[in-house]
Amino acid sequence: EKAGYKHFMLKEIYEQPRAIIDTIRGKYSLEEGEIYFGEVDYETIKDIEKITIVACGTSWHAGLVGKFYIENFAKIPVEVDIASEFRYRNPIATNKTLLIPISQSGETADTIAALRMSKKMGAKVVSICNVVGSTIARESDGVIYTHAGPEIGVASTKAFTTQLASLFLFALFLGQKKGVLEKSEIKSILNDLIQLPEKIEEVLKHDKQIEDIAKEFVRYKNFLYLGRHYNYPIALEGALKLKEISYIHAEGYPAGEMKHGPIALIDKEMPVFVLGTKSRVYDKILANVEEVKARDGIVISTVTKGDKDIISKSDYSFILPVTLEELTPFLNSIIIQLFAYHASNLLGLDVDQPRNLAKSVTVE
Ligand code: F6R
């Protein structure tokens, strides 16, 4: 059932182009420049003033990207909370709040608790979930299903990128309904979205290069992952993936925070993984790379095809296809997933069943 792959995680990484196609299928018309979400009764959420996203772990990272999508495309304020934090503070929700729980399994105890609390306060609930009939799906007013298919590897991969795809389209949907986006804008964005699966296929071709680079780096004990804006959550995700399956300590940081602390750690024993794809913050990231190099740090970066500056200053780079800035998190995700996968595999660890971890955390 691993379809010839050595591990479920690797199979699931390779399934991402298909999983994204299945997740977005039927939700848009390129000709009309329209987005459809039949599973969400827009009338019941049209007056919302705030969106709160709650989730744990990797799903929380998807939520962080979702905030940028929704605020950018629909101009609705979004807060993103870790479900285990949300449930023990005094969160504010009203009948003008839309709660979006994000959960692969639909059974994460803290996320369920956050959902129930918000419902009691009158919030509408539209969840993003991968398991049909799960607790979160059953208790929500509407469910946007990610069509990742069963995810067996404990480390979440295809569930994550399908969550991103759902959030991306849902943000466009809200932007369309609220009149923030013109049809022509939606058409143009959709044009980029439908090319994404092919671009992911292209990124998957880096597999061997990633393995070779991982070989040089598995002896290191600490890593720093840096990203900014749309790719700040991907830096967090890169560090989480490396920690959970290779047991190498890694920290993810929004790159602008480097000078507020983590820069003190940089030396030749702590490689820095920089998500340096083209974006509005490219120059800022380039400056971070220069700061790392000035301190004898080692830089592994992702860059966009045609890049000149970050690539020339990095020790190793992965060249990614050109895409919409909003879609770069998908391409960067593939690289950090494969890097963590190869590190774990090269260290001879149990990639699919890392120690101390469970696939779904159904108790606090
Ligand atoms: C990391 C991972 C976990 C889950 C988290 C939430 O690779 O898989 O961090 O993302 O436990 O699980 P779900 O999405 O099922 O609520």
Side-chain angles (χ1 to χ4, degrees):
E1 36 181 10
K2 289 182 203 150
Y5 291 96
K6 186 170 177 193
H7 296 100
F8 283 109
M9 183 182 177
L10 190 61
K11 169 173 174 269
E12 289 162 3
I13 289 172
Y14 273 84
E15 280 173 348
Q16 289 177 103
R18 191 276 309 150
I20 289 168
I21 290 170
D22 289 349
T23 297
I24 66 176
R25 176 175 294 133
K27 290 194 155 48
Y28 61 88
S29 158
L30 200 53
E31 297 73 45
E32 303 294 327
E34 269 187 56
I35 314 290
Y36 315 105
F37 272 89
E39 57 273 65
V40 177
D41 180 2
Y42 184 72
E43 276 306 300
T44 63
I45 61 167
K46 70 176 192 320
D47 295 324
I48 55 149
E49 290 170 354
K50 176 180 102 170
I51 293 178
T52 301
I53 297 177
V54 288
C56 301
T58 289
S59 296
W60 175 65
H61 296 156
L64 293 173
V65 180
K67 171 188 168 78
F68 299 145
Y69 287 160
I70 296 168
E71 292 189 344
N72 187 37
F73 291 134
K75 309 287 179 217
I76 302 169
V78 181
E79 63 169 0
V80 190
D81 216 334
I82 293 174
S84 58
E85 285 296 317
F86 182 92
R87 66 181 295 193
Y88 289 112
R89 56 185 180 88
N90 292 317
I92 297 166
T94 68
N95 58 1
K96 297 271 170 64
T97 306
L98 172 63
L99 185 87
I100 307 183
I102 306 177
S103 177
Q104 186 284 126
S105 62
E107 301 297 348
T108 299
D110 289 317
T111 311
I112 295 171
L115 182 162
R116 289 178 182 160
M117 278 172 74
S118 305
K119 267 183 100 168
K120 273 207 187 109
M121 291 184 276
K124 308 287 184 303
V125 180
V126 172
S127 58
I128 296 180
C129 190
N130 194 44
V131 179
V132 177
S134 59
T135 305
I136 288 175
R138 281 187 279 111
E139 297 192 14
S140 301
D141 301 309
V143 188
I144 299 169
Y145 283 109
T146 45
H147 294 273
E151 193 180 60
I152 311 290
V154 162
S156 186
T157 53
K158 61 178 181 169
F160 177 65
T161 47
T162 55
Q163 288 164 350
L164 294 185
S166 300
L167 286 160
F168 183 83
L169 266 188
F170 191 57
L172 292 179
F173 173 74
L174 294 173
Q176 158 190 297
K177 288 285 189 191
K178 293 195 65 107
V180 178
L181 295 175
E182 310 257 340
K183 269 181 192 296
S184 58
E185 286 175 279
I186 295 178
K187 272 188 202 177
S188 141
I189 295 167
L190 283 173
N191 246 312
D192 281 289
L193 180 66
I194 59 169
Q195 292 173 42
L196 185 62
E198 277 165 46
K199 289 183 181 169
I200 293 177
E201 297 284 2
E202 229 179 286
V203 179
L204 287 167
K205 292 189 186 135
H206 286 290
D207 198 354
K208 181 74 178 66
Q209 186 202 1
I210 296 171
E211 184 178 13
D212 290 344
I213 294 177
K215 264 183 209 149
E216 311 222 359
F217 283 96
V218 284
R219 70 166 189 87
Y220 289 88
K221 297 283 175 264
N222 299 287
F223 271 80
L224 182 63
Y225 283 73
L226 297 178
R228 201 156 172 173
H229 194 229
Y230 290 115
N231 288 297
Y232 142 52
I234 310 307
L236 302 187
E237 176 63 3
L240 178 64
K241 287 281 94 93
L242 195 67
K243 276 185 272 214
E244 64 180 338
I245 59 171
S246 76
Y247 317 146
I248 298 171
H249 171 245
E251 294 202 44
Y253 258 95
E257 277 289 290
M258 191 174 85
K259 62 173 85 57
H260 299 285
I263 196 164
L265 292 168
I266 289 168
D267 63 15
K268 55 182 183 330
E269 285 306 312
M270 187 161 95
V272 183
F273 208 117
V274 176
L275 305 173
T277 38
K278 275 274 152 50
S279 72
R280 70 196 74 188
V281 290
Y282 179 85
D283 291 342
K284 310 278 173 199
I285 302 266
L286 173 62
N288 290 130
V289 170
E290 286 164 347
E291 284 155 12
V292 172
K293 289 313 296 176
R295 286 161 186 81
D296 277 341
I298 302 168
V299 173
I300 308 169
S301 61
T302 60
V303 295
T304 301
K305 195 177 282 174
D307 185 88
K308 292 202 171 53
D309 299 318
I310 292 185
I311 198 169
S312 69
K313 302 209 154 76
S314 302
D315 298 273
Y316 300 89
S317 292
F318 302 107
I319 302 173
L320 306 184
V322 177
T323 187
L324 207 62
E325 180 179 351
E326 283 78 7
L327 297 172
T328 56
F330 291 83
L331 305 186
N332 281 317
S333 292
I334 308 297
I335 301 288
I336 58 96
Q337 291 168 355
L338 280 171
F339 189 77
Y341 170 79
H342 285 299
S344 174
N345 184 43
L346 288 161
L347 290 166
L349 300 170
D350 190 344
V351 175
D352 286 331
Q353 294 271 309
R355 68 185 181 201
N356 309 340
L357 289 171
K359 181 65 186 161
S360 77
V361 184
T362 54
V363 289
E364 289 192 48

